[in-house]
């Protein structure tokens, strides 16, 4: 059996209409123009983060939600969530295409102590931005910040 080897033959491939000339070279096809890209790397001027409009939404929403209220520890988390959701919804209605909107609201009681807050984020300063505002009355201090990061 070792003497009997099976040899498989490759089928003959015939190219029909390959466009080869008698010399065996194919003709050069003219270069096609490059199509414009189908993705946006940067927002156009009118599509950038609308910082002034977002700031107005923050101020309006916080004053609507907190005016006339006194600080209550059991209600503060609900108020913060309500403000964040309302701001996010109103900012999304501005229809800033391809922007991811992040909203953070902090409510603390005014007792005369100071507060410091630091936030860090890696972003593109040409496309990404934020808007923030602070609301105060005699018993409540509320800080809301909205980040707009462009999704490439």
């Amino acid at each position: 059996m070792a003497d009997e080897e099976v040899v498989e033959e490759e089928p003959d491939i015939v190219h029909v209409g390959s466009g080869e000339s008698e010399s065996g070279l194919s003709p050069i096809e003219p270069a096609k123009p490059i199509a414009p890209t189908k993705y946006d790397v940067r927002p156009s001027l009118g599509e950038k983060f609308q910082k002034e409009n977002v700031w107005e939404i923050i101020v309006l929403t916080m004053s609507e939600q907190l005016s006339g209220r006194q600080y209550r520890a059991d209600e503060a988390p609900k108020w913060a969530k309500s403000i964040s959701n309302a701001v996010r919804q109103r900012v999304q209605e501005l229809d800033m295409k391809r922007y991811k909107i992040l909203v953070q609201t902090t409510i603390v009681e005014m007792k005369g102590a100071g507060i410091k807050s630091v936030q860090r984020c890696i972003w593109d300063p040409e496309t990404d931005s934020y808007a923030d505002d602070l609301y105060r009355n005699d018993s409540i201090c509320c800080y809301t910040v909205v980040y707009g990061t462009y999704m490439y």
Side-chain angles (χ1 to χ4, degrees):
M1 287 217 181
D3 293 335
E4 297 176 21
E5 290 185 19
V6 178
V7 177
E8 294 182 23
E9 294 182 15
E10 293 183 15
D12 294 334
I13 299 173
V14 178
H15 296 285
V16 178
S18 63
E20 292 185 5
S21 63
E22 292 177 8
S23 64
L25 300 175
S26 61
I28 298 174
E29 294 181 21
K32 295 180 181 178
I34 298 174
T37 58
K38 297 186 189 259
Y39 56 89
D40 296 326
V41 178
R42 301 267 185 242
S44 65
L45 185 60
E47 295 176 344
K48 286 195 173 190
F49 187 78
Q50 303 169 17
K51 188 172 184 172
E52 294 297 321
N53 293 340
V54 173
W55 178 79
E56 290 174 4
I57 289 171
I58 293 169
V59 171
L60 179 67
T61 305
M62 285 194 304
S63 64
E64 285 175 355
Q65 298 280 335
L66 298 175
S67 63
R69 290 191 176 177
Q70 296 297 315
Y71 182 82
R72 290 184 47 196
D74 59 334
E75 293 291 321
K78 293 176 191 173
W79 297 340
K81 187 174 183 178
S82 175
I83 290 169
S84 293
N85 288 337
V87 168
R88 183 180 47 82
Q89 187 175 33
R90 289 179 178 176
V91 169
Q92 286 178 338
E93 289 172 1
L94 293 176
D95 198 30
M96 292 182 284
K97 295 177 182 169
R98 299 184 63 142
Y99 271 93
K100 174 128 179 124
I101 304 299
L102 304 159
V103 182
Q104 180 181 6
T105 301
T106 305
I107 298 177
V108 295
E109 184 176 11
M110 295 283 288
K111 284 195 165 187
I115 184 170
K116 289 186 179 183
S117 175
V118 176
Q119 296 144 11
R120 286 188 172 182
C121 183
I122 297 175
W123 66 6
D124 185 352
E126 293 180 17
T127 59
D128 305 336
S129 189
Y130 74 97
D132 64 337
D133 195 52
L134 182 67
Y135 174 87
R136 289 185 192 179
N137 66 15
D138 58 338
S139 69
I140 296 175
C141 180
C142 178
Y143 177 70
T144 300
V145 60
V146 176
Y147 299 99
T149 57
Y150 189 75
M151 304 301 289
Y152 294 102

